[in-house]
Amino acid sequence: MSKGIKIVTIGGGSSYTPELIEGFIKRYDELPITELWLVDIEAGKEKLEIIGSLAKRMIQKAGVPIDVHLTLDRREALKDADFVTTQFRVGLLDARAKDERIPIKYGVIGQETNGPGGLFKGLRTIPVILEICKDIEELCPNAWLVNFTNPAGMVTEAVLRYSNLKKVVGLCNVPIGMKMGIASAMDVEPSRIHVDFAGLNHMVFGLNVYLDGVSILDSVIERMTDPNNEMTMKNISGLAWEPDFIRALGVIPCGYHRYYYKTSEMLAEEIEAAETVGTRAEVVQKLEHELFEIYKNPELDIKPPQLEKRGGAFYSDAACSLINSIYNDKHDIQPVNTRNNGAIASIPNDSAVEVNCVITKEGPIPIAVGDIPVAARGLVQQIKSFERVASEAAVTGDYQTALLAMTINPLVHSDKAAKQILDEMLAAHKEYLPQFTQPVKV
Amino acid sequence: MSKGIKIVTIGGGSSYTPELIEGFIKRYDELPITELWLVDIEAGKEKLEIIGSLAKRMIQKAGVPIDVHLTLDRREALKDADFVTTQFRVGLLDARAKDERIPIKYGVIGQETNGPGGLFKGLRTIPVILEICKDIEELCPNAWLVNFTNPAGMVTEAVLRYSNLKKVVGLCNVPIGMKMGIASAMDVEPSRIHVDFAGLNHMVFGLNVYLDGVSILDSVIERMTDPNNEMTMKNISGLAWEPDFIRALGVIPCGYHRYYYKTSEMLAEEIEAAETVGTRAEVVQKLEHELFEIYKNPELDIKPPQLEKRGGAFYSDAACSLINSIYNDKHDIQPVNTRNNGAIASIPNDSAVEVNCVITKEGPIPIAVGDIPVAARGLVQQIKSFERVASEAAVTGDYQTALLAMTINPLVHSDKAAKQILDEMLAAHKEYLPQFTQPVKV
Amino acid sequence: MSKGIKIVTIGGGSSYTPELIEGFIKRYDELPITELWLVDIEAGKEKLEIIGSLAKRMIQKAGVPIDVHLTLDRREALKDADFVTTQFRVGLLDARAKDERIPIKYGVIGQETNGPGGLFKGLRTIPVILEICKDIEELCPNAWLVNFTNPAGMVTEAVLRYSNLKKVVGLCNVPIGMKMGIASAMDVEPSRIHVDFAGLNHMVFGLNVYLDGVSILDSVIERMTDPNNEMTMKNISGLAWEPDFIRALGVIPCGYHRYYYKTSEMLAEEIEAAETVGTRAEVVQKLEHELFEIYKNPELDIKPPQLEKRGGAFYSDAACSLINSIYNDKHDIQPVNTRNNGAIASIPNDSAVEVNCVITKEGPIPIAVGDIPVAARGLVQQIKSFERVASEAAVTGDYQTALLAMTINPLVHSDKAAKQILDEMLAAHKEYLPQFTQPVKV
Amino acid sequence: MSKGIKIVTIGGGSSYTPELIEGFIKRYDELPITELWLVDIEAGKEKLEIIGSLAKRMIQKAGVPIDVHLTLDRREALKDADFVTTQFRVGLLDARAKDERIPIKYGVIGQETNGPGGLFKGLRTIPVILEICKDIEELCPNAWLVNFTNPAGMVTEAVLRYSNLKKVVGLCNVPIGMKMGIASAMDVEPSRIHVDFAGLNHMVFGLNVYLDGVSILDSVIERMTDPNNEMTMKNISGLAWEPDFIRALGVIPCGYHRYYYKTSEMLAEEIEAAETVGTRAEVVQKLEHELFEIYKNPELDIKPPQLEKRGGAFYSDAACSLINSIYNDKHDIQPVNTRNNGAIASIPNDSAVEVNCVITKEGPIPIAVGDIPVAARGLVQQIKSFERVASEAAVTGDYQTALLAMTINPLVHSDKAAKQILDEMLAAHKEYLPQFTQPVKV
Ligand SMILES: [Mn+2]
Ligand SMILES: [Mn+2]
Ligand SMILES: [Mn+2]
Ligand SMILES: [Mn+2]
């Protein structure tokens, strides 16, 4: 990497990209990027150009010598890359809207990364990621793949299990969001807070919380069960937890845990939203439209503040921090998705987990947790089972395996309903599921 | 045990007892019981006398020298016992009816051994079992405790974790019922069928099935997904499985798995039943009443055929077989609830599992399964988490721990609903939950 | 297997074969063998013919319709076999004599299955076994491979790890010898004794001992530490154990444990023997010569009593019992070498162990031990490490890996000496180690 | 700890103390110690006073406001301490000389932390450490115990297993010595080198080595097998490794591994030394005498350069670094002895290991290694077995358990010799082994 860093961002036309650009600019002194390639597909060409122009303006304003390249040719871009970030969305927000709307017709949570929606996002995404992995092996075998594409846990599981790539990290902004939320709830500087994260992506727990190195777990739990406080991600409901439940659980759940511990309430909210403001994808579509209008403004040469509403807060920090720590062999601690390797006792060693890691030039080294408390453990294990079967379905395109994944998902309450949802979603997403070649038996 | 075997049956007034008597009579040559003590509590005195008289008539007819003793004094009975069987029901069928009716008001499965009902049966039963364990340690420390009282898995977990008793086995008729069902579906003698059982009580899978030692798993799966076949326990719905789901699962679920893989359909059935014929407890109450009328008949000196409708088929076989194999050090294979000890890889070594064991004089030795297939594993692990937290709640009487158990149960879909169900059930069962001394915060 | 059983014995010219024949004859009613193929190589042709003739006389005398075939064409023999037993010795007793004599020159135990000798027997044997495995896959894919060839543990490890064959069992007469020794020491019928065996081949422990199902472990330990008693295999020294050591160990070691717990004394014995009566191989060579003289006698039509001196006592029982139980799906318990699968907690699931198993038509199912006591465990783990590295060396023919195996063997006390022994033995056994193609750097 | 740090050093009269003082002085800005208590026993009073005076001169010269207290009253010193370091030697160097001389009479390695000597140092030390633990629980329950007393691994194991103290870390200078040795051999700044350490104390491996974050393991292995290079601790022989062995091992052994992989050569060196210059203890006795003469010099107010010959190089750095990182919650990585917690797969979670940890205010959090390579693993597991049995013997004073530990130690080659060595050493160290109350049966 001596001659400057080359970064390739697949899905470069994403509305999140300006945050990433901002993060690279801020860290330029430590992280001297010389080339940034933004890659997208034909359907995303217009967005890519809007984002690319904005990126160039931001970089020019910052006065850092980063060359921005825009391309629809992924393989051209990947040549000799040092880091590849992936943030694409197969089928765009339209597909997400289907993931959200179809399940609720059957009384089942419709969500991007959980339940049937999470399964289908995985089925659409994993084959593409595995192709990218093959390209990386061929074109830039020393590069690190930093994946943000959801479902990031299932995707990391699939890469670990079905690709030869070793240098892969899955990344999510949920842990950093939890840390920020805790800092804000406790009214202290985030840098003074340390959280012991462990679990799976979108199913991560804060096992302990420290302020200046001293555990404040009990106070955080009290604060978070206080209805006047709000500790959740912007894009997840702020529905309050039952205080005695959280006290007994004794660890900090993430926002997405609501889909499992408050299923009824979340479903009610989703149905209500679908009938009024629209599902999250539909809301985001509008936000994105507005964002791109703003991005088009040739005067704009910073990340516009409106991006924060989009829901990807701290995304830039998480991503740039990770790349920076790998590049500079920082040995600092960050929560990422990686091979468990014994860090969490009740998850197999060869499975992907989201856990605090020491970040080195050789990648993340997970910190040994011992185990997740018994009450929290079972759900994590069940989701891990689901992720493994879902990954297999994504790779094989096998109908029965997909039905198995759907049925064992804890948000789906019936094998018959599972089949109905599966069939409707297979038909709806047909275009993006070429691996499912068997005619759907509807 | 040289001077003849002494067996103590706690809950001796149960309607099941005649089957047990029949089993002992049939095996008398191998299993020379000299004393059989039937123990019950004051509230069950009348039933105990009816059953006791019938037992004596049956034994007299059979011409075997077994002395039957009836008593309300458990400690008197336990003195120097060789085997203690437990089949009592704290709160009788009235309590079970509440376990069934209260949850469905909240849209949650109401069932004796699963969901909120299973939790409450555990909360009522575990303290009593642990007292019996203490009595055994004191009065007959070499005796084996053979527990049939439900929830048998949670009860075994609690005894292993919270008592000093080592000689305990949990027993259920589900595995033998599955074997019989398979034999019947395949139209062969049951003795030619062997099933590799592994899982938890009421959550056991048949991992493989052999006919004369050759695997016929695939044929059994095809047969069981054939809607014309029925392989389920009498007291569980015969709702058909989705064939592709079972094929992909690749192992044989038990009847109780329907509560998890067909939750919606099972709930609908329960609601329908509650509104028409009554819940299972209410149906059984009638059956029991009729049974006891029959038992009273002084001419009756055999197990009446009507008992089979009660739902405890093969119960006698399972129980007597187990006692016989322990007594005679048979080293045969039976599925029982015992300490895992590595037999199932994804369950902690110190947890109770239901798994095939070699039955010896020193107790059951589990057979190493390796692991349950990944798709089936997660649910098993989640229920094990639940059982552990539920056992702790039963022992401590801690409100928050009970709420935790209720909320993490996969059949309960909301922490708020969990609290409501918990509070209503704590109030309803107050009489049988002396350990919950904190005033319920309703 | 409906049309009668076909058994193929590779190394059929072994002096042990008459015992096997006797075992088959005794069990004919249950185990209706129609064809028995004795296979050997050119160098063993004469012995094969002597044994073959004796076998035919024994079978004729017994009046059972077993067809005996003699052949040097292994592939012809394997066609459609039901069971393949392997009992060959690559390099014959001459090679064993080298395994015994070379190490003692360096002050290291020289023994057939332990230390440098065990390593070299493995290096010579494993490639041949793996070729046989390939033939079996092709010619009789449903056959069971029952391997007696030493080092049986390392061979089983290699087959599990480097072949596709699943139907393999490793067999040794040490456990049955221990059981017989215990019965004899306690002066009871062997059938009343049950031993919980667990460990590795030639490193197996009796974790508990039962008489009629009641533990008599403490008495057995007292008896075995009594200098007047002798509980060891015929072909291992009867050197007495230090009583307090065995009491503290709390489990029953096998005879081969003396090589590790009494290394100095065993080495002294070996040196003494080498200088006087000859090493064990040299003694056995004489015994074998005498045996074959006896076998030649055309009047002889039973297993001659002199065979028992050879050291393979109970070999026939172990082998025929195993085949019988597989064939008849007996579900009885026998100690064999198989995939651990969780049976012993401190050994990886995918490694070969020697442990009590339930023997079924689908093969042995190990019984879960939990764990070997901490004091006994470390040595077992170390030998397992050695076996794995040794297997790898045998398959790869890699010099460094062979040196690694030699150096980490606990009987070898120096990396420099390891290299010297390795080089001398590689040269001495060159003919039988075609995989070691690199010129030895002496 | 707001009002300044109080450190208590038990065994304060040790010749190493000046290095510790120097380390505290250097770090004063970050680690504001206000009180340093040097504690020793009556027999060490004179040395304590020499060291105490030197310490005061050093501190005065440095101009930092650390109050030095000297005392023979351990409990007075411990009151409200923040850190307790232990570096005492029960029986002084005389006892060590016996640990070294007695075993070699039986042809067994005589060494301070390995073999019989390591066992006896453990037997003498562990009861004293456990008493200190009780005092800490009572007098300064929030203090961290940082133990340097050898055998540091066995001592940490014993504290984890037999004390209630949770805040304990075991420390050794071997890993930092390896890192320094590697840096020197590769001729780079130590700060650019990172080593993945994992194993046990005095049995730690460098699993990988990085220069500026890039693996240089292969080059390091080549360099270390180059006879012209020397990478070993000062107080361990520099005997060269067999290059092909180290290449095949594929990880970096520590100096103490020579006792296992070069036992013969090390024993020969020990015997030679014992007959000429004296054993290591005897050499050190002279060095210490000289050192204390130097320390007495009232002009001396720095750590004298002669201390480095003593063998404790980098000791100060390791100790002060650890305390500093705990105090300042640094989250940096240091190799220490702590509870495994899953970090090394093949060691039980509840055992002490020496492994890279993230050092926080809440103590060290081990980094998940996955596993030690198979070839290196077995020896580590065997030593862990030994350490566990040895710890038990130290706590119980049970003769048989001590014999068991002695016999299973891989450096001891015979149960009979084990008994002889045990008996002679029990007699020789009688004064310091009050827990062994049974009369030794010699
Ligand atoms: Mn995310
Ligand atoms: Mn049941
Ligand atoms: Mn053998
Ligand atoms: Mn050390």
Side-chain angles (χ1 to χ4, degrees), chain C residues 150 172-174 201-202:
Chain C
N150 273 328
C172 175
N173 63 352
V174 163
N201 181 243
H202 290 197

Side-chain angles (χ1 to χ4, degrees), chain A residues 113 148-152 171-175 201-202 233 235 256 354:
Chain A
T113 61
F148 318 120
T149 303
N150 273 328
L171 200 60
C172 176
N173 63 351
V174 163
N201 181 245
H202 290 196
M233 304 298 292
N235 58 349
Y256 287 93
E354 189 165 291

Side-chain angles (χ1 to χ4, degrees), chain B residues 24-233:
Chain B
F24 289 145
I25 289 170
K26 267 203 304 197
R27 286 166 177 83
Y28 185 82
D29 285 352
E30 286 185 284
L31 193 66
I33 298 169
T34 47
E35 294 178 48
L36 173 62
W37 289 66
L38 303 179
V39 184
D40 221 304
I41 57 171
E42 187 61 40
K45 192 173 177 186
E46 193 196 330
K47 284 185 174 180
L48 178 65
E49 277 172 12
I50 296 169
I51 291 289
S53 303
L54 172 56
K56 287 173 183 171
R57 295 194 300 272
M58 288 171 71
I59 282 166
Q60 185 163 24
K61 184 185 181 192
V64 293
I66 303 177
D67 258 345
V68 176
H69 301 253
L70 310 183
T71 182
L72 304 186
D73 181 345
R74 183 172 80 203
R75 289 177 55 86
E76 180 201 6
L78 287 176
K79 191 88 188 60
D80 298 326
D82 296 307
F83 292 92
V84 180
T85 73
T86 43
Q87 54 180 46
F88 58 87
R89 185 185 291 279
V90 178
L92 304 176
L93 286 163
D94 284 348
R96 176 172 174 183
K98 290 173 187 169
D99 288 343
E100 291 168 345
R101 284 207 172 262
I102 296 173
I104 61 177
K105 294 201 279 177
Y106 299 87
V108 171
I109 292 286
Q111 207 273 329
E112 189 185 17
T113 62
N114 289 275
L119 170 59
F120 268 82
K121 194 162 191 340
L123 298 181
R124 297 194 301 271
T125 305
I126 288 170
V128 179
I129 280 282
L130 293 178
E131 275 176 37
I132 292 171
C133 288
K134 277 194 204 148
D135 284 350
I136 291 175
E137 280 182 75
E138 181 190 340
L139 299 166
C140 51
N142 293 318
W144 277 94
L145 171 59
V146 178
N147 174 61
F148 319 120
T149 303
N150 274 328
M154 203 194 291
V155 165
T156 308
E157 184 76 32
V159 173
L160 292 177
R161 215 165 272 282
Y162 299 106
S163 125
N164 297 317
L165 214 68
K166 296 274 168 283
K167 294 183 154 184
V168 59
V169 192
L171 200 61
C172 176
N173 63 351
V174 163
I176 191 170
M178 290 170 73
K179 178 178 163 172
M180 292 303 192
I182 290 168
S184 153
M186 306 305 288
D187 200 19
V188 299
E189 277 300 297
S191 65
R192 295 174 61 198
I193 293 289
H194 175 79
V195 185
D196 290 342
F197 289 109
L200 307 182
N201 180 245
H202 290 196
M203 174 132 299
V204 74
F205 290 96
L207 300 190
N208 209 336
V209 180
Y210 306 91
L211 174 62
D212 301 333
V214 178
S215 176
I216 54 164
L217 179 62
D218 293 344
S219 324
V220 172
I221 284 177
E222 281 318 301
R223 198 66 61 94
M224 72 180 290
T225 56
D226 175 347
N228 304 317
N229 252 282
E230 215 183 295
M231 271 183 39
T232 185
M233 303 299 292

Side-chain angles (χ1 to χ4, degrees), chain C residues 112-113 148-153 171-175 201-202 233 235 256 337 354:
Chain C
E112 189 186 17
T113 60
F148 319 121
T149 303
N150 273 328
L171 200 60
C172 175
N173 63 352
V174 163
N201 181 243
H202 290 197
M233 304 298 292
N235 56 350
Y256 287 93
N337 289 269
E354 189 165 293

